[in-house]
């Protein structure tokens, strides 16, 4: 099972999470502030962090940025906020997933399992079969996890890179959203918002928009494909 750090200042929620995660055979430590979380992560090796946003000493979004400065441990945001702009910001600041409160223990467990599968596969050195993928002006080194567009390096988040590499490995093929969730997010279910957020930010970094696509093309109700500009 996993070593989990719960960062939650609400004692009732915190106790419930500890109880259910412990019953699921996870090793759990918990703190109620961002600074305590940073100290714990700096000294203890966790498999996943569950991070509340409404912390008393520091907003969870700022805590996430500070965590990303010292560790690549997967972080699941647990929040009562459902503002799309904030969710986009959190994902691009390094969150691996997010859950909107209230959520069930089963839902949390499924999201944790998916995040841990991705993390462990990466740690084991699982890589796509091709080392360098080239589509038009795109060059994607799957081993070094580096991507360039027309010779210029792209500054991609981990999930943006995974999404780009997966689509580029199938040029011209329409990939269903369900397949993207399964292969890129390692989830058997989920909403389309997560995919849309990452596609939007990926398009921006590729210098295109949904209305004027160059590489990424969405077929409404079908899926997404990547192909070189005509």
């Amino acid at each position: 099972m996993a070593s989990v750090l719960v960062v939650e200042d609400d004692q009732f929620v915190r106790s419930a999470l500890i109880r259910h995660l412990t019953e699921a055979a996870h090793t759990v430590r918990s703190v109620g502030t961002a600074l305590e979380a940073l100290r714990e992560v700096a000294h203890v090796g966790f498999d996943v962090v569950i991070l509340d946003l409404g912390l008393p000493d520091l907003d969870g979004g700022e805590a996430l940025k500070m965590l990303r400065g010292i560790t690549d441990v997967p972080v699941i945001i647990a929040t009562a906020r459902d503002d799309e702009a904030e969710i986009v910001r959190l994902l691009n600041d390094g969150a691996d997933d997010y859950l909107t409160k209230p959520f069930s223990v089963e839902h949390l467990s499924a999201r944790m399992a998916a995040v841990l599968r991705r993390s462990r596969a990466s740690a084991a050195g699982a890589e796509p079969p091709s080392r360098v993928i080239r589509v038009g002006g795109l060059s994607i080194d799957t081993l070094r996890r580096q991507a360039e567009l027309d010779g210029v390096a792209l500054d991609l988040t981990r999930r943006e890179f995974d999404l780009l590499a997966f689509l580029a490995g199938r040029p011209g093929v329409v990939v269903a959203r369900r397949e993207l969730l399964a292969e890129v997010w390692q989830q058997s279910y989920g909403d389309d918002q997560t995919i849309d957020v990452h596609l939007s930010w990926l398009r921006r970094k590729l210098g295109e928009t949904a209305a004027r696509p160059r590489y990424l093309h969405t077929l409404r109700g079908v899926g997404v494909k990547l192909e070189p500009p005509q």
Side-chain angles (χ1 to χ4, degrees):
M1 290 290 101
S3 173
V4 185
L5 176 64
V6 173
V7 187
E8 170 65 64
D9 69 319
D10 185 307
Q11 190 59 51
F12 177 79
V13 175
R14 187 172 165 184
S15 297
L17 287 174
I18 293 171
R19 181 174 68 254
H20 289 298
L21 290 170
T22 302
E23 288 174 353
H26 298 297
T27 300
V28 185
R29 293 171 70 99
S30 67
V31 294
T33 69
L35 293 181
E36 288 176 310
L38 290 167
R39 282 196 293 266
E40 285 288 313
V41 168
H43 294 94
V44 181
F46 294 100
D47 295 313
V48 64
V49 173
I50 300 171
L51 177 64
D52 177 42
L53 292 182
L55 300 174
D57 60 334
L58 189 66
D59 181 78
E62 294 302 314
L64 173 65
K65 292 180 183 178
M66 297 174 73
L67 283 170
R68 278 291 162 258
I70 62 174
T71 180
D72 287 330
V73 63
V75 176
I76 299 175
I77 300 293
T79 176
R81 308 173 194 174
D82 59 0
D83 179 69
E84 181 178 352
E86 183 162 29
I87 291 170
V88 169
R89 177 176 60 81
L90 291 167
L91 289 170
N92 282 278
D93 283 345
D96 292 83
D97 207 341
Y98 68 91
L99 285 170
T100 303
K101 297 177 181 177
F103 51 80
S104 68
V105 176
E106 292 75 17
H107 194 172
L108 172 61
S109 296
R111 294 294 184 95
M112 277 183 53
V115 166
L116 288 168
R117 280 196 300 272
R118 293 194 298 271
S119 176
R120 287 166 178 168
S122 177
E127 295 290 346
S130 174
R131 185 176 187 276
V132 177
I133 303 171
R134 291 185 173 85
V135 180
L138 278 170
S139 176
I140 304 163
D141 189 326
T142 59
L143 295 182
R144 295 182 179 179
R145 297 185 64 82
Q146 297 173 347
E148 295 181 350
L149 175 60
D150 298 327
V152 178
L154 295 172
D155 183 16
L156 303 178
T157 66
R158 177 171 54 184
R159 192 59 51 74
E160 288 168 352
F161 181 89
D162 291 342
L163 178 58
L164 179 64
F166 185 80
L167 291 171
R170 298 152 183 77
V173 176
V174 179
V175 180
R177 289 171 176 268
R178 181 176 298 178
E179 184 177 357
L180 289 176
L181 280 172
E183 298 296 333
V184 179
W185 276 265
Q186 298 292 308
Q187 295 178 13
S188 58
Y189 63 92
D191 56 47
D192 287 350
Q193 185 182 38
T194 296
I195 297 175
D196 290 338
V197 164
H198 285 84
L199 282 172
S200 175
W201 283 91
L202 189 53
R203 282 192 175 102
R204 181 175 299 183
K205 293 178 180 180
L206 293 177
E208 62 183 69
T209 66
R212 301 186 65 180
R214 295 181 66 235
Y215 285 91
L216 293 170
H217 301 264
T218 300
L219 281 74
R220 188 178 298 275
V222 183
V224 183
K225 68 176 178 178
L226 184 148
E227 61 184 9
Q230 299 299 319

